Amino acid sequence: MMKFVFSLIAALGIGLGAATAADAPKPYADVKDPENTLLLRLKDGDVLIEMYPQAAPRHVARIKELVREGFYDGLKFHRVIEGFMAQTGDPRGNGTGGSGLNLKAEFNDLPHKRGTVSMARAMDPDSADSQFFICFADSPFLDHQYTVWGQVISGMEAVDKIKRGTGPNGMVYDPDSIVSMNVVADLQK
C-alpha cells in the first residue's frame, strides 16, 4: 500500500510540476512596447532591454535586424570589466569583428548609468557596427561619446553574473555567451 501511495505522490508531483512550468508567466508578458524590447537570454537568466528608437533610430533598426537574423545567438562577452561594463557582439570573439556595416553616430542626451546598453566603437565616432556593451555602474564619462540605444528593465542580476575578464583591457578567458536574443514582438506571435 505504501509503495502505491509513494508512486501516486510522485506521479502527481511530476504532473503538477510540468503544468506549473508550462503555465509559468513569460518574462516578457507585461512589456509595454514589444517591438522595441529585446529578450536577452543568458546562462544565469533572462534580461529585458527596452530600446530607444526615438533617441537612436538607425542603431535600434540595425540591432533589430541583426537580432532577427540570429546574429547575436552564441556570441561571447569578450570584454568584461568589473565595475564598468560587459561587451559583446563580435562574431570573432576578440573585439575586432562586426557585421560589416558601420553606423553613423547617434549620440544623445541619455546617460550611461547602471543597465544602459550602448554601442561600442573604434576611435572614429561613426565606426559602431554590431558590438555593444551593458554598463554595470554609472559611467557618465561615456555620455555624448557613445550611442545609447537601450536600458535593461529587468534581469540585471543575470548581467551582474557575466564572467569578468582577467586579461588585458578586460579580455575574458573562456567567456560567457549570449544564449539567444529576440525581439519580444516576435516571441508573442
Side-chain angles (χ1 to χ4, degrees):
M1 178 69 171
M2 239 5 208
K3 185 176 181 182
F4 172 76
V5 171
F6 284 125
S7 296
L8 184 60
I9 290 171
L12 288 174
I14 292 170
L16 291 174
T20 303
D23 296 335
K26 304 290 187 226
Y28 49 81
D30 296 327
V31 166
K32 294 176 188 166
D33 185 1
E35 182 58 31
N36 289 302
T37 306
L38 298 175
L39 175 63
L40 169 65
R41 292 192 182 250
L42 302 177
K43 69 174 177 47
D44 291 305
D46 293 338
V47 180
L48 287 174
I49 299 170
E50 179 183 4
M51 294 184 286
Y52 300 134
Q54 70 285 1
R58 288 185 305 275
H59 284 72
V60 168
R62 182 63 178 152
I63 293 292
K64 288 195 289 189
E65 181 180 12
L66 291 171
V67 166
R68 286 182 163 135
E69 291 172 4
F71 178 85
Y72 290 105
D73 297 354
L75 294 188
K76 297 172 176 27
F77 284 92
H78 62 274
R79 182 174 180 234
V80 184
I81 300 173
E82 179 64 45
F84 180 30
M85 59 89 215
Q87 184 172 328
T88 187
D90 173 15
R92 295 182 187 163
N94 62 10
T96 64
S99 71
L101 179 66
N102 285 353
L103 297 165
K104 185 165 177 50
E106 294 178 298
F107 302 153
N108 50 55
D109 291 330
L110 297 170
H112 285 80
K113 60 184 183 178
R114 177 169 165 74
T116 292
V117 187
S118 189
M119 292 304 281
R121 64 172 178 81
M123 293 298 290
D124 179 354
D126 298 329
S127 62
D129 183 337
S130 58
Q131 293 188 45
F132 67 89
F133 59 91
I134 304 172
C135 294
F136 290 128
D138 294 356
S139 303
F141 56 92
L142 300 175
D143 293 353
H144 308 287
Q145 297 181 60
Y146 293 84
T147 299
V148 174
W149 59 266
Q151 178 69 38
V152 172
I153 56 173
S154 74
M156 194 61 194
E157 62 280 356
V159 174
D160 288 334
K161 292 179 182 176
I162 295 171
K163 184 178 179 183
R164 303 310 199 258
T166 56
N169 204 22
M171 185 178 77
V172 185
Y173 301 104
D174 190 28
D176 289 340
S177 298
I178 294 173
V179 174
S180 64
M181 200 163 163
N182 297 94
V183 176
V184 169
D186 299 343
L187 298 172
Q188 294 178 334
K189 292 178 182 176

